[in-house]
Amino acid sequence: MQLQNQLKALAEKIGKLKEKIDTEESTKHAFVLPFINILGYDTFNPTEVVPEFTADIGLKKGEKVDYAIFQNEQPIIIIECKNWKEKLNTHNSQLFRYFHTTKTRFALLTNGVDYQFYTDLEATNKMDEKPFLEFTVTALKENTVHEIAKFHKSNFDVDKIVDNASSLKYTKEIKKLIAQELLTPSHNFVKLFANEVYTGRLTEKVMGEFTDLVGKAFTLTISDKVSDRLNAALNKEVENQKEEHQEPEEVSKIETTKEELEGFRIVVAILRRKLPVSRIVHRDTQSYFGILLDDNNRKPLCRLHFNGTTKYLGLINKDKNEIRQALNALEDIYQFENELLQTVDYYEKE
């Protein structure tokens, strides 16, 4: 929640100031350095955030990248900055040349408004041409904030980020293809469905008809899915209102807090890698906030104990015993990603 608020404040600052920013240098100071600070790195500590970082490349000496973030005396992220008015173009970027000469696994190209994170998924020590994470800080979505949180100094884990980077990158590319196919279905895409439902010869005329049919069918499918979710939400709200009316005293003893709901969203963001969101359900009680598989009390995924001074995440082991882990901040839940996913495996094996 704190990270989300800080990013929101930075977005508001950008909206107010960007028309007064004319140079790359002022973009760095007004927009990029505050972002680095939000990630928990001390921009005033030259051993942690190194400006004008130099990495000699063959016969080329003295070329510099704008910033390098260090941890344990090793660069973990190199950053190249542009003026906020410039479009990001990796083909002219020094990041490609620097990437293989440093031990870093991550490179960031930014103009202070748009951010592109790169790694080496396709060839070791060679920066990918396409980013695995990209966003506009003034138009952030909740799931993107969770991905940014993984780069925070308190959460930074190279292996976890790289493991997730592959899923992020290719999911993003597939979403782009799906969006393009929905807008203008390609011949092969239409043919895939026409072959399944049409027994005749696929002439040019038939393919033209099926191009319209496939587009309409996908539009209707998406519309039906949205309608089903809205109806389910409305029906649940009506049921909750009935329960509140019937048992006002019992309901009034349970107070679901914003922090509990934020914790639930973080758990969902982790578990959706293995589960549909619809199977992850929360049920609040007087003593803890429960998160269940299939709304089944016998299948707890985890529990949030946020009522006391110290917050705890209750992890469930294979014997269905609870193990509590103290949390300093809500983002600490991401540190137990493997344990949460393992709990899902226990139930799926059953």
Side-chain angles (χ1 to χ4, degrees):
M1 182 64 75
Q2 183 182 3
L3 178 65
Q4 190 168 12
N5 290 338
Q6 290 174 325
L7 290 169
K8 184 179 179 182
L10 176 59
E12 291 172 354
K13 177 183 177 182
I14 291 171
K16 293 176 182 177
L17 295 182
K18 66 180 184 179
E19 296 303 330
K20 300 177 182 177
I21 302 295
D22 294 322
T23 65
E24 180 182 306
E25 199 62 29
S26 55
T27 298
K28 292 180 192 176
H29 288 283
F31 302 155
V32 180
L33 287 177
F35 179 80
I36 296 173
N37 272 323
I38 288 172
L39 293 182
Y41 303 101
D42 184 359
T43 53
F44 294 101
N45 182 348
T47 65
E48 187 165 280
V49 179
V50 181
E52 298 295 307
F53 176 62
T54 303
D56 292 334
I57 306 168
L59 297 176
K60 285 195 172 185
K61 304 293 182 182
E63 284 200 35
K64 302 178 187 298
V65 71
D66 293 300
Y67 298 104
I69 297 177
F70 273 65
Q71 218 174 58
N72 300 322
E73 300 183 353
Q74 295 293 335
I76 58 172
I77 307 173
I78 55 174
I79 304 171
E80 182 177 344
C81 304
K82 302 293 183 184
N83 188 315
W84 75 269
K85 297 178 182 179
E86 291 185 44
K87 297 292 184 183
L88 300 183
N89 184 356
T90 54
H91 295 290
N92 299 326
S93 172
Q94 295 181 16
L95 290 176
F96 280 113
R97 300 196 295 274
Y98 273 47
F99 194 88
H100 75 277
T101 65
T102 65
K103 295 181 180 180
T104 183
R105 294 295 303 276
F106 304 108
L108 169 60
L109 179 63
T110 180
N111 59 11
V113 180
D114 300 313
Y115 287 77
Q116 296 179 349
F117 283 86
Y118 296 82
T119 187
D120 56 350
L121 295 174
E122 296 175 10
T124 304
N125 294 329
K126 181 181 178 183
M127 194 178 96
D128 298 337
E129 289 193 8
K130 294 183 178 180
F132 68 89
L133 174 64
E134 58 182 322
F135 56 86
T136 299
V137 77
T138 53
L140 282 176
K141 296 181 179 179
E142 187 176 321
N143 61 328
T144 305
V145 175
H146 295 322
E147 297 304 327
I148 296 171
K150 294 174 184 176
F151 285 93
H152 194 279
K153 182 179 178 180
S154 62
N155 302 326
F156 191 84
D157 184 310
V158 172
D159 294 332
K160 283 186 178 180
I161 299 175
V162 171
D163 288 345
N164 192 48
S166 177
S167 174
L168 279 175
K169 178 178 179 178
Y170 297 118
T171 299
K172 175 169 66 71
E173 293 301 316
I174 291 169
K175 283 174 66 179
K176 284 182 180 178
L177 288 174
I178 292 173
Q180 183 60 42
E181 292 289 1
L182 292 179
L183 184 64
T184 53
S186 65
H187 178 84
N188 288 336
F189 188 71
V190 174
K191 190 176 180 181
L192 172 68
F193 293 96
N195 275 330
E196 292 293 326
V197 298
Y198 187 73
T199 56
R201 193 166 68 90
L202 296 178
T203 63
E204 186 175 339
K205 181 181 178 182
V206 172
M207 286 295 291
E209 292 174 354
F210 267 94
T211 298
D212 291 335
L213 290 173
V214 169
K216 288 177 182 178
F218 268 89
T219 300
L220 287 171
T221 300
I222 294 170
S223 178
D224 288 345
K225 289 286 185 184
V226 172
S227 180
D228 289 344
R229 286 202 171 192
L230 286 173
N231 287 333
L234 288 171
N235 290 335
K236 191 171 183 178
E237 183 66 25
V238 170
E239 289 175 8
N240 289 340
Q241 288 176 357
K242 287 180 180 178
E243 290 175 4
E244 288 173 5
H245 182 71
Q246 292 170 356
E247 300 174 355
E249 292 182 4
E250 183 179 345
V251 173
S252 65
K253 296 177 183 178
I254 300 172
E255 181 182 357
T256 301
T257 65
K258 289 183 179 179
E259 282 191 321
E260 288 172 335
L261 292 175
E262 180 65 13
F264 171 70
R265 285 191 284 268
I266 293 174
V267 172
V268 169
I270 294 170
L271 297 184
R272 68 185 302 174
R273 291 174 57 187
K274 290 194 173 184
L275 291 171
V277 175
S278 59
R279 296 186 67 192
I280 309 167
V281 180
H282 67 76
R283 193 181 296 181
D284 205 356
T285 70
Q286 292 183 46
S287 53
Y288 62 83
F289 184 95
I291 301 176
L292 310 172
L293 176 63
D294 298 331
D295 204 12
N296 188 338
N297 269 331
R298 295 183 179 181
K299 294 183 178 181
L301 293 166
C302 67
R303 291 168 181 158
L304 306 181
H305 299 271
F306 288 0
N307 295 330
T309 305
T310 302
K311 295 178 176 61
Y312 294 92
L313 170 66
L315 298 169
I316 309 300
N317 64 19
K318 62 182 178 181
D319 298 318
K320 294 188 179 179
N321 295 321
E322 182 183 8
I323 302 169
R324 295 192 185 188
Q325 300 287 353
L327 304 173
N328 294 320
L330 287 179
E331 288 80 10
D332 290 350
I333 295 174
Y334 284 109
Q335 297 177 14
F336 304 98
E337 179 176 339
N338 291 336
E339 290 86 345
L340 288 166
L341 292 172
Q342 199 169 37
T343 300
V344 174
D345 291 338
Y346 297 149
Y347 294 124
E348 295 299 285
K349 287 177 183 177
E350 290 178 0

